[in-house]
Amino acid sequence: WAAAYADLATLFDASESVLNGREILVDDAGILRSANVQTPPRERSRQAKRVSAFLPPARDEAPVNIPASLRHHLFYLHPAVAEQLTTAVRSFLTGKGLIYGYETRGLVEHVQGVLASTESERIHRETLRFVFALDQNGQTPRRPALNQLGLRVPTRGGTMLPAGRTA
């Protein structure tokens, strides 16, 4: 796959958005997935469902698995493929917006958008664990602040409430 991405970089280097949204990325489960689609800021709110691809964490960074419920919204490129990418190919993929670099701020911002658009208790529970794991690994970015993410926490009764409404 790394060789295929090198070929794409050579063939489409001068093309701007030909590969956006095309199924060219192999995710960490080995499934062929769509590359990112770049949308103008004013159109992002109208986009029903945005799925974002990220490079996986580097070998020296503690990996944080994306929960199953969030895999419909974001995913990592297969780590074995990512390890074999040359700097030029990595720059092509990120420069064209086909995939985002591993940056916890980008992950957390994406998760923030997912939480704002769903009432799914499963997504809220799994996202709370995901953000907690990032925090435990020292990977929580300063912005957006945790209290701005729209996290929900479980109550004694088992329901999920916005973190700001709990004592």
Side-chain angles (χ1 to χ4, degrees):
W1 280 100
Y5 295 136
D7 289 344
L8 290 175
T10 301
L11 293 169
F12 295 101
D13 188 41
S15 303
E16 273 312 305
S17 60
V18 173
L19 298 174
N20 289 129
R22 305 277 180 156
E23 288 188 356
I24 60 170
L25 301 176
V26 178
D27 74 6
D28 52 349
I31 298 169
L32 195 60
R33 304 278 297 262
S34 297
N36 293 339
V37 175
Q38 301 304 306
T39 54
R42 65 176 166 260
E43 291 181 27
R44 286 186 188 145
S45 60
R46 284 188 256 153
Q47 194 173 0
K49 189 175 181 182
R50 187 174 131 221
V51 180
S52 293
F54 290 86
L55 287 170
R59 241 187 224 194
D60 59 341
E61 294 178 293
V64 178
N65 293 327
I66 295 172
S69 63
L70 286 177
R71 291 187 58 77
H72 299 291
H73 303 280
L74 63 141
F75 65 92
Y76 293 136
L77 183 68
H78 197 287
V81 173
E83 274 187 27
Q84 296 175 14
L85 296 177
T86 64
T87 303
V89 172
R90 198 176 277 264
S91 294
F92 166 77
L93 292 172
T94 57
K96 296 291 184 185
L98 302 172
I99 194 165
Y100 301 120
Y102 181 78
E103 177 190 62
T104 54
R105 181 177 181 172
L107 284 170
V108 170
E109 286 175 346
H110 190 80
V111 165
Q112 181 181 28
V114 171
L115 292 177
S117 66
T118 187
E119 291 296 319
S120 168
E121 188 172 303
R122 180 177 178 212
I123 289 176
H124 280 275
R125 282 185 189 280
E126 290 185 3
T127 300
L128 182 62
R129 286 187 199 105
F130 178 67
V131 172
F132 179 74
L134 286 172
D135 188 61
Q136 290 298 301
N137 288 335
Q139 297 181 30
T140 309
R142 286 187 278 174
R143 292 188 181 185
L146 289 178
N147 64 355
Q148 297 173 336
L149 292 182
L151 292 171
R152 294 184 185 183
V153 294
T155 63
R156 274 191 236 168
T159 60
M160 300 291 285
L161 287 178
R165 288 191 20 211
T166 59

